[in-house]
């Protein structure tokens, strides 16, 4: 990996480290796209590279070349479809969680649902149903942003959405409400410590405990 990994590890919606802009300008499949990187982590399946979400796609990169895991490498490739790799279609990916080397949960913000990617075949399927935006039905989430493990209960996950934190049980995928408040404008990220959690309320530009 280049030595730039620890610099600007999060740089908003405009870059993935220092190689992104130059790389985007040379890939024809991304020629009509801007970079909307939301989240990135080290790749558990392939130690060394990182995984990142870029609008409608999730990719892995070694800092020199990016390889598509799933989704559509185009700004206009929004929609909903399950399938393997490039056959899958998302509507604005946000956070993701690597449950293991072979399972990634991705947050499909525009479709208001969570979806599973099974590696190495990169098969995409739904975890929570329905995915709402493209069929008019109401699901358990409304514009979710991030998913993290509950450090106090390893069988549970936390999912942040606009004004609520939902709790998701692994394997059964049962959804319950952990916290909800009309005073919050937009939950984005949740980080836990030994005493509780810290929330990023992006619309009010503050961190709340």
């Amino acid at each position: 990996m280049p030595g730039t990994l620890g610099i600007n590890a999060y740089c908003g919606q405009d870059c993935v480290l220092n190689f992104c802009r130059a790389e985007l300008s040379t890939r024809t499949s991304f020629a009509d796209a801007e970079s909307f990187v939301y989240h990135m982590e080290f790749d558990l399946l392939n130690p060394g590279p990182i995984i990142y979400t870029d609008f409608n796609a999730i990719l892995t990169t070694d800092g020199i070349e990016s390889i598509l895991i799933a989704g559509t490498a185009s700004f206009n490739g929004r929609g909903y479809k399950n399938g393997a790799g490039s056959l899958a279609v998302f509507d604005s990916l946000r956070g993701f969680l690597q449950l293991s080397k072979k399972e990634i949960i991705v947050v499909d913000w525009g479709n208001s649902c969570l979806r599973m990617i099974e590696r190495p075949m990169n098969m995409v399927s739904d975890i929570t149903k329905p995915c709402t935006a493209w069929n008019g039905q109401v699901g358990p989430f409304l514009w979710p942003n991030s998913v993290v493990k509950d450090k106090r209960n390893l069988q549970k996950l936390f999912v942040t959405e606009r004004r609520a934190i939902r709790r998701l049980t692994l394997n059964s995928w049962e959804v319950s409400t952990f916290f909800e408040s009309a005073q919050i404008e937009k939950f984005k990220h949740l980080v836990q410590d030994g005493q509780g959690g810290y929330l990023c309320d992006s619309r009010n530009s503050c961190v709340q405990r």
Side-chain angles (χ1 to χ4, degrees):
M1 290 294 295
T4 58
L5 182 59
I7 301 173
N8 255 354
Y10 175 74
C11 46
Q13 295 182 332
D14 197 44
C15 60
V16 181
L17 308 183
N18 292 335
F19 59 82
C20 184
R21 277 297 172 195
E23 186 183 346
L24 285 173
S25 65
T26 60
R27 283 183 292 170
T28 56
S29 59
F30 279 74
D32 60 346
E34 293 183 27
S35 177
F36 286 84
V37 174
Y38 192 88
H39 182 71
M40 56 186 170
E41 297 178 1
F42 284 106
D43 190 339
L44 295 182
L45 181 63
N46 302 300
I50 62 169
I51 296 176
Y52 64 96
T53 51
D54 190 355
F55 204 69
N56 299 315
I58 181 168
L59 307 97
T60 183
T61 181
D62 59 2
I64 299 173
E65 179 185 12
S66 289
I67 299 174
L68 182 72
I69 295 175
T72 307
S74 168
F75 182 86
N76 296 318
R78 301 168 55 197
Y80 167 77
K81 185 179 180 181
N82 287 324
S86 61
L87 296 178
V89 183
F90 303 104
D91 185 359
S92 187
L93 290 178
R94 293 296 199 257
F96 62 86
L97 174 65
Q98 296 176 86
L99 284 180
S100 66
K101 292 180 179 181
K102 296 185 177 181
E103 293 181 314
I104 306 174
I105 295 177
V106 291
V107 179
D108 190 338
W109 180 85
N111 286 314
S112 289
C113 61
L114 301 185
R115 300 168 75 180
M116 177 71 79
I117 301 175
E118 297 180 72
R119 305 175 81 185
M121 300 304 294
N122 300 331
M123 181 62 68
V124 177
S125 60
D126 297 337
I127 291 178
T128 57
K129 296 181 179 182
C131 286
T132 63
W134 298 90
N135 56 25
Q137 298 180 4
V138 177
F141 301 109
L142 179 62
W143 299 320
N145 277 301
S146 65
V147 55
V148 297
K149 290 182 179 179
D150 183 349
K151 292 184 178 180
R152 297 182 177 182
N153 187 336
L154 298 181
Q155 294 302 309
K156 302 283 187 178
L157 306 176
F158 285 123
V159 181
T160 62
E161 58 176 59
R162 186 177 180 186
R163 290 192 171 100
I165 302 172
R166 310 296 180 192
R167 216 171 186 187
L168 186 67
T169 303
L170 287 173
N171 299 319
S172 71
W173 308 120
E174 179 181 350
V175 179
S176 60
T177 298
F178 180 77
F179 177 79
E180 191 165 7
S181 173
Q183 297 179 355
I184 301 296
E185 285 299 319
K186 184 187 285 186
F187 281 142
K188 267 200 172 180
H189 303 286
L190 170 67
V191 178
Q192 285 182 284
D193 60 15
Q195 298 178 348
Y198 293 91
L199 286 162
C200 172
D201 179 355
S202 65
R203 191 64 59 82
N204 285 320
S205 300
C206 62
V207 174
Q208 303 191 28
R209 186 174 179 83

